[in-house]
Amino acid sequence: MRAAADEAKSAGCQVFWASCDELSHAFPLLPLLDALESAPVDSGGQAEILELLRIESAPGNGVDHVAAATERLLALVDELCTDIPVMLVVDDLQWADPATVQMLGRLVRSVRQLPLFVVGVMRPVPRREDLKALGRTIEPASRMRLHSLSEVEVGELVANAAGSTPGPRLLRLAAGAAGNPLYITELVAALDRAGALTTDNGTIEATGTKTPGSLAAVIADRLEFLSPAGRGTLRAAALLGVDFSVSELAMASGQTVTELMPVLDEAILAGVLRENDFALAFRHPLIRTALYEELPIAVRAAWHRDAARALADNGAPAERVARQLLPAFQDEGTAGVADEWMVQWLVDTGQRLVARAPGAAIPLLRRAVAAIPAGVAPHDLLACRLADALYRTGDAASAAEVATSALEYVTRPDYLVDLHWTLTQCRSMQGRAEEALAALDRALDGPMVGRQHRTRLLVLKARTQCLLGRVDTAGQVATTALAAATESGDRWATGWALGLQTVVQGMRGEAARSLPLFDRALAVAEGHPGLADLRLSLHINHAVALVHLDRLDAAIGAAEHGRQLADEAGNMVRLGQAQSVLGELLFLAGRWDDALVEIEPAPGASKSPVVECCDRGVAAVIRLHRGDPTAGQDLADAERYAAQLGDRVIGVLALAKSLNREQADDPVEALAVLMAGLSETEDTETTADLLADAVRLAIEVGDFEAARTVVKQAEEVARTSDVPHHIALPPHCRGLLDRDPELLLSAAQHYEAAGRPLPRAQALEAAGAALAERGDVAGARAHFTTAFSLYSDLGAEWDLARTQAKFRSYGIRRGPHVRHRRADHGWSSLTPTEIKVAGLVADGMSNPQIAAHLFLSRRTVQTHVSHILAKLNLHSRTEIAREVSLRATA
């Protein structure tokens, strides 16, 4: 691979080499960050990524630094590929952290789009599920398994290393290496250093009686030729890993770079070290291992501790210090105790380490927490951080256990609030939000919570009630919290209470009343570092409020803006929410292809169960309307996520389940799904989404009592609203019940004003049927044709087939000007957005540049490019550009 990398460099490629080791698993993305550190400055992003990973973040702020850094690194690779091909090698992939493996998987899926060569080098053990999954994404022809050298190849290697044809004894010695090329080359070098090689008549032969008997022995023989100073310095280097920077070696060894240079030059000449771009590396991991294991365990642990302290004193990042502390404890075993310096370092730096590398923070925090009695300030603080670290690694059960245990003795109010934030998030993930509410109530009733912290717990309680869909209760708690926060001057609680009130107003269908609250909440949150997550939440919820007011274009623009802000902030939770909201808005607007792209499942996405449920629900509804057989998987996924949400009603999931039962010729069960949703939700918008279909199905199964009940609900929703899609509900539902075409046409007009093509088409279809029943075939044909055109634009094949069958029974055929079924392949199958993306690819733009130009996410652009390649049966961006050029000149 080194030879291939050198050849790639000679051919004009940029080559980046990442090396993993046994500790890499605890430090997300560190090998890739080190490898890309040498990326050209004008490619941008590296300093920003490092800064993003090292920002301290408190529990509950929603920032996933690793996921955000992954997106930035992917964008950086994309930019690097714009002008010059890139080769990225990850060595010892078996030790890589999960985030690095996941990022490689995404890069592998993008190689058709970029001039990018991704190489992973790994040993067969340890076997890991994520690496096996990565292997399944790679074609068999792209995988190469290395084997021991054959007898002929061993002879060729010995001849090359010795400089002449080997004799029988030398070949017999080499045969003992079992085809291991390192062993063979080190054996020949050891014999040469010992003067045990002689040349006679063009043949080189091993002489003497003493020869190295093992690979470890020949490596030790090489090291014996180093000076004592050189050997000591290389032991310090061995603490840092196979690859290391000279500056870090200077810190760990206590020497200056100038003092190190003669020793390092000696090691390079002796074949122990090699240059590795802007760093140094041991020529082989086994050489580093030999030096490392020469040290007694206790001495090695002490050296690691001293190296950690030296790095920390010189301002090294938290993850670099932790890389020294972790093996110190591993070497000491269970007897390792957190000393005073380490505890203080975790107090000062622990939250940054939790944000950057929670897996590395957990064992260190466990040691520190165990070393300090409960109730002592550092213990309580570090217990909070331990619970947060466990939550960030996805171990909700352990995080909840630590938080629950700490709540029994922690008395400091701000720690109590942090623990409850962590515990509530864990319980919500586990579908046990009721337990979190019970714990909050106990804390609110307890004597240790002062006014300010009580207010913050009330905010958390209101937020949890919102999550459970209990609108009125959430509103009452949020109002109480707002009053208390305003009185005490708590800006944080004031902002969150206002933000929760905007959500409650939206769930009540009173979006107009929420708009002033958004302005107030944003004014409070502006410039406050602890309210960055709230600002993103407000932008997303503002988009939701705008669509509830039928300002659909403005809502889509607000959601796109919220998505951009979340991406820039590195808040992947909010990014997932923004994309989910945008997908639902695009669904309502009839831009179904774009909606599916926004909500397409993506590796590494950070989404809550409610967001995943909504996304899969929207996808299921679209695909059911289109007659797509993959809808079943979307529906199953949505139901799986819904199981984690308790009894909360997700409107789009209810629609999907009902539609699925209807298409299975079970209208009774389809109606039962909608009626259950209507009876169990307090959310006005969820109710509004279910009403018309419930009336239609009730009439179909002959349950007119249910139909009349739903009509009354529709009238109640519209009673105090001037929003078009609310105003449309009574004439739509009453028109279905009374078979009144005038009412149905009135509903269609309101849906048109709201910008919602699907319910408009449904109302026109029903109006056409009502007119046909009255004998007005001409009027029915006109509305049937319009409905058919709307369904065609949506690609709603199931609705088209149903509508045709219904109107054929009245003797009405499809009009001559209606669009035919959409193409699945070829240029005509591309959506408007895909055509724009193809044009920008042809202009030479990278995915990040296209994303900025079209106000999309980089991930969304990548999905569009993948769809373009598939639909046009192309294999690269170059072929897309050629296709666009040919069409431009045709």
Side-chain angles (χ1 to χ4, degrees), residues 616-657:
R616 295 303 95 222
V618 168
V621 170
I622 291 174
R623 292 186 169 121
L624 283 165
H625 276 290
R626 288 183 164 179
D628 187 335
T630 62
Q633 184 59 56
D634 289 312
L635 182 55
D637 290 341
E639 292 182 304
R640 176 165 51 87
Y641 289 114
Q644 303 176 39
L645 303 176
D647 57 359
R648 178 173 179 178
V649 176
I650 303 296
V652 71
L653 174 57
L655 283 174
K657 290 168 66 176

Side-chain angles (χ1 to χ4, degrees), residues 649 654 671-683 686-687 690:
V649 176
L671 174 63
V673 169
L674 298 182
M675 296 303 291
L678 289 170
S679 66
E680 294 169 6
T681 183
E682 300 176 20
D683 188 332
T686 297
T687 299
L690 307 181

Side-chain angles (χ1 to χ4, degrees), residues 315-650:
E319 65 272 15
R320 294 293 183 188
V321 178
R323 278 182 68 85
Q324 295 303 311
L325 287 174
L326 283 174
F329 285 116
Q330 291 171 354
D331 283 340
E332 292 178 358
T334 55
V337 177
D339 59 22
E340 185 178 346
W341 173 82
M342 176 181 151
V343 170
Q344 189 57 49
W345 180 77
L346 285 170
V347 169
D348 296 338
T349 317
Q351 196 57 45
R352 284 195 292 276
L353 182 63
V354 167
R356 168 67 181 93
I362 288 169
L364 300 179
L365 288 167
R366 285 194 187 279
R367 295 274 184 168
V369 168
I372 310 168
V376 178
H379 177 281
D380 296 358
L381 170 63
L382 298 178
C384 291
R385 289 181 176 169
L386 175 58
D388 185 27
L390 288 163
Y391 169 74
R392 290 172 187 253
T393 61
D395 190 354
S398 296
E401 181 181 352
V402 170
T404 301
S405 175
L407 284 170
E408 294 179 0
Y409 56 79
V410 169
T411 58
R412 184 165 158 171
D414 53 341
Y415 296 167
L416 285 172
V417 172
D418 279 354
L419 287 167
H420 276 291
W421 273 95
T422 301
L423 181 60
T424 301
Q425 291 179 103
C426 292
R427 293 303 189 216
S428 297
M429 286 177 63
Q430 297 169 315
R432 298 163 61 186
E434 292 288 0
E435 293 180 32
L437 279 176
L440 285 170
D441 285 334
R442 289 193 296 271
L444 287 164
D445 293 337
M448 293 180 292
V449 179
R451 177 186 297 179
Q452 179 183 20
H453 297 93
R454 175 182 171 80
T455 304
R456 295 190 173 198
L457 291 176
L458 283 171
V459 167
L460 182 55
K461 180 177 179 178
R463 188 177 178 183
T464 308
Q465 295 284 12
C466 275
L467 179 65
L468 291 170
R470 297 170 187 171
V471 181
D472 291 338
T473 304
Q476 293 166 6
V477 177
T479 299
T480 302
L482 178 59
T486 303
E487 182 181 350
S488 64
D490 185 345
R491 188 174 165 189
W492 185 94
T494 300
W496 271 108
L498 285 167
L500 287 166
Q501 285 195 331
T502 66
V503 176
V504 169
Q505 296 291 3
M507 294 173 75
R508 286 174 173 165
E510 299 174 349
R513 296 178 62 181
S514 71
L515 293 183
L517 294 172
F518 279 114
D519 294 335
R520 286 178 60 192
L522 281 170
V524 171
E526 194 62 40
H528 191 297
L531 292 175
D533 185 52
L534 173 62
R535 287 196 296 275
L536 296 174
S537 174
L538 288 170
H539 282 291
I540 296 166
N541 289 333
H542 187 221
V544 175
L546 288 171
V547 74
H548 289 170
L549 295 171
D550 284 336
R551 295 166 58 182
L552 195 48
D553 289 341
I556 290 173
E560 290 173 339
H561 182 54
R563 178 185 58 189
Q564 181 181 359
L565 292 175
D567 192 19
E568 291 172 355
N571 191 323
M572 305 312 290
V573 172
R574 297 301 181 194
L575 179 60
Q577 291 173 349
Q579 287 184 299
S580 182
V581 167
L582 182 55
E584 192 159 357
L585 298 181
L586 293 169
F587 163 67
L588 293 175
R591 294 167 55 184
W592 287 5
D593 291 305
D594 290 340
L596 288 172
V597 170
E598 287 295 338
I599 61 177
E600 183 169 303
S606 180
K607 295 183 178 182
S608 67
V610 66
V611 171
E612 291 282 13
C613 181
C614 289
D615 284 356
R616 295 303 95 222
V618 168
V621 170
I622 291 174
R623 292 186 169 121
L624 283 165
H625 276 290
R626 288 183 164 179
D628 187 335
T630 62
Q633 184 59 56
D634 289 312
L635 182 55
D637 290 341
E639 292 182 304
R640 176 165 51 87
Y641 289 114
Q644 303 176 39
L645 303 176
D647 57 359
R648 178 173 179 178
V649 176
I650 303 296

